[in-house]
Amino acid sequence: MNIRKIFTTVAGLLVLLAPLSSAQLVPYYNYQFTEGVSASPEGDLGFIINLSNDIGTIFKPLPAHTFIGFYSLKYQGPGLKRQEGREFSERYMDHIFVGRHHWNIRGDLILKTQSDILLEGRRSGTNETWESGLYNFNRYGGASYLTKKYSKDFIGTASFGYHYMTFPNYTDMLAEIRSGADPSASEGKQNHHVLNQSVKTKYKNNTAKFSLTEQLYSKQKVAVDNVQSDGTYYSSTKQKDMTVGLSADRVEGLSKIMIINPGISITYKNSNQNYQHFETATSTNPVKFFKDYYDYLDFGLNIPYTLMLSRKWSFVFSPDISYKIYTKRQPRDQDGNFKDKKQSRFLGVYTMGFKKQIGESSSSLMYFTYQNQVANMTYERYVAYNYSAFSTGFKFQMEY
């Protein structure tokens, strides 16, 4: 991931587009910056720096056709992570390139088609470079969205997308050890195809969405409970994951100065991947087999609340909670022994702050976030499952 080449390419595209008349070309820019401090579950304080810098152009050669070119640079520094199993010290750097076409087929029907590239670098420590991150990935693909307006209050959107994800640096050291330190034992095993389908409806202030995502792995095979002819515990069947999501939310004005936006979601993941547990890294004999190890249900609830204090100032409060339970996975106790129950966790993220509307297209936010997770998984030698942490800071956003 050569950052200098990326910036040179973007600058060159802008120079080529500059001769177009201002009547045809409309620039777009969005800048977000967050700075603050967070406390990890171990009590260590760290600085937060998150940056998002988006630049693009909107080109409309004909009344029914609009073309959009877009580049986004996003950086997320150390801080609280919502995703289970992620270290708070991880850093992310994203480069996103998007080309989109809007076709207004008729007044009530619009087709949006886009191609996009995402290059993500991850660093888990200060001694790791952006180019060598173990979980770096590249994503290539696109999507189409068909929106129909049935009435002034009812709008429906159907979408389909395809992406291919590659992990150029990923390696499974345990797989290499068991195969005689052969790097090809894990080469390309995380690469997969992603198919996204969704239907979204909006009626007045209410929105509902159904989504289906399939992940088809190109090399990763499914673990089984007995040794195969090649001496491994992997069958010839390749891994397939399916995620089904259902969500709904509503914007409700309680009064002239109070707005509430409650939302609920249900996510179900089904994977044919199993898990063979080995007592030690160098062991060749598993001690326990788990079928459908990655299947889970996740229930979410969030209730953002806004209170207008004046023409420019407002108070915001956003409680966001989720309960996740694995359908087959068993948790482990402090000594690493498996317990006879289903693994589950409860996560609560509570954010409050004061927002100021600086101008027509810019705002700032002073915030405080408290995050708490409780799980029946108490084996925390590598990852914290039960913790309390907080972050506080300042966020600035500008868009035109």
Side-chain angles (χ1 to χ4, degrees):
M1 186 183 300
N2 192 313
I3 298 177
R4 180 177 297 178
K5 288 184 179 180
I6 291 173
F7 277 110
T8 302
T9 302
V10 174
L13 290 174
L14 293 177
V15 170
L16 291 174
L17 291 172
L20 295 173
S21 66
S22 60
Q24 296 175 317
L25 188 65
V26 179
Y28 168 79
Y29 183 69
N30 183 292
Y31 174 79
Q32 296 184 35
F33 176 75
T34 303
E35 186 174 33
V37 63
S38 66
S40 69
E42 295 79 16
D44 299 327
L45 292 177
F47 289 103
I48 299 174
I49 296 180
N50 295 335
L51 174 68
S52 176
N53 206 357
D54 307 338
I55 184 170
T57 57
I58 302 174
F59 178 52
K60 193 169 185 178
L62 297 170
H65 297 273
T66 303
F67 295 89
I68 301 173
F70 183 85
Y71 167 71
S72 177
L73 169 65
K74 299 183 185 297
Y75 169 77
Q76 181 179 347
L80 304 184
K81 301 292 189 296
R82 295 175 58 94
Q83 187 175 352
E84 186 179 353
R86 290 297 179 195
E87 298 180 3
F88 289 174
S89 61
E90 284 187 329
R91 299 166 172 83
Y92 306 87
M93 178 83 78
D94 288 345
H95 297 277
I96 306 171
F97 302 87
V98 177
R100 177 179 288 188
H101 172 230
H102 291 192
W103 179 20
N104 192 341
I105 301 175
R106 58 175 188 257
D108 61 348
L109 192 64
I110 299 176
L111 176 64
K112 302 176 183 178
T113 305
Q114 77 172 44
S115 298
D116 54 82
I117 299 174
L118 167 60
L119 311 176
E120 177 166 295
R122 297 186 181 183
R123 294 178 60 186
S124 56
T126 56
N127 61 339
E128 190 176 37
T129 65
W130 288 112
E131 289 76 15
S132 62
L134 181 64
Y135 294 100
N136 287 5
F137 70 84
N138 304 325
R139 190 189 72 185
Y140 312 92
S144 291
Y145 307 83
L146 184 63
T147 299
K148 180 174 175 57
K149 187 174 183 179
Y150 294 93
S151 68
K152 66 176 183 178
D153 295 325
F154 183 56
I155 300 174
T157 301
S159 70
F160 175 80
Y162 166 78
H163 292 87
Y164 182 61
M165 298 185 65
T166 65
F167 294 76
N169 301 331
Y170 181 80
T171 179
D172 185 343
M173 286 183 281
L174 293 181
E176 292 179 17
I177 290 174
R178 297 188 184 112
S179 63
D182 178 10
S184 64
S186 58
E187 187 178 78
K189 284 194 172 182
Q190 289 299 310
N191 297 353
H192 59 272
H193 307 269
V194 183
L195 301 175
N196 299 101
Q197 305 163 70
S198 71
V199 176
K200 181 180 179 180
T201 60
K202 186 178 186 301
Y203 179 71
K204 294 185 177 180
N205 297 332
N206 306 286
T207 304
K209 182 178 180 180
F210 172 81
S211 63
L212 174 65
T213 301
E214 296 177 275
Q215 296 173 249
L216 310 175
Y217 286 76
S218 55
K219 289 188 177 182
Q220 180 64 59
K221 298 179 179 179
V222 175
V224 292
D225 59 353
N226 49 62
V227 67
Q228 302 297 290
S229 58
D230 59 357
T232 71
Y233 284 87
Y234 288 95
S235 68
S236 59
T237 304
K238 294 179 181 178
Q239 181 176 339
K240 297 180 181 180
D241 295 352
M242 180 182 68
T243 305
V244 181
L246 182 62
S247 62
D249 67 83
R250 173 181 174 84
V251 179
E252 181 68 31
L254 302 178
S255 69
K256 292 182 179 180
I257 62 172
M258 288 188 293
I259 300 174
I260 193 171
N261 182 205
I264 59 173
S265 65
I266 301 175
T267 304
Y268 169 65
K269 180 173 182 178
N270 176 270
S271 175
N272 65 346
Q273 186 59 275
N274 309 312
Y275 174 62
Q276 281 280 19
H277 180 69
F278 294 83
E279 194 66 38
T280 62
T282 56
S283 174
T284 57
N285 295 317
V287 296
K288 197 170 182 65
F289 174 77
F290 294 91
K291 186 175 177 60
D292 301 323
Y293 185 75
Y294 298 94
D295 294 3
Y296 66 77
L297 274 166
D298 195 332
F299 304 90
L301 172 66
N302 63 305
I303 313 176
Y305 168 81
T306 301
L307 173 64
M308 302 298 297
L309 302 175
S310 67
R311 187 172 61 89
K312 291 186 176 181
W313 285 94
S314 60
F315 170 77
V316 295
F317 176 59
S318 178
D320 191 348
I321 60 177
S322 72
Y323 176 72
K324 184 177 184 179
I325 181 168
Y326 290 89
T327 59
K328 300 290 180 66
R329 185 186 301 190
Q330 295 177 345
R332 302 168 70 182
D333 61 21
Q334 294 180 350
D335 298 321
N337 302 312
F338 289 97
K339 298 186 284 187
D340 189 20
K341 57 179 64 176
K342 305 288 180 60
Q343 183 174 329
S344 63
R345 71 105 174 94
F346 177 88
L347 173 65
V349 182
Y350 312 93
T351 300
M352 61 182 295
F354 292 93
K355 182 179 180 180
K356 182 181 180 182
Q357 193 67 35
I358 301 173
E360 184 178 346
S361 59
S362 60
S363 63
S364 62
L365 174 69
M366 295 178 291
Y367 72 91
F368 174 85
T369 297
Y370 173 74
Q371 184 167 320
N372 175 256
Q373 180 170 293
V374 179
N376 59 4
M377 172 72 163
T378 53
Y379 185 71
E380 302 180 299
R381 182 173 299 180
Y382 306 106
V383 177
Y385 289 90
N386 297 270
Y387 65 85
S388 294
F390 74 87
S391 65
T392 183
F394 171 83
K395 180 179 179 179
F396 173 77
Q397 178 177 357
M398 177 178 64
E399 180 178 17
Y400 70 84

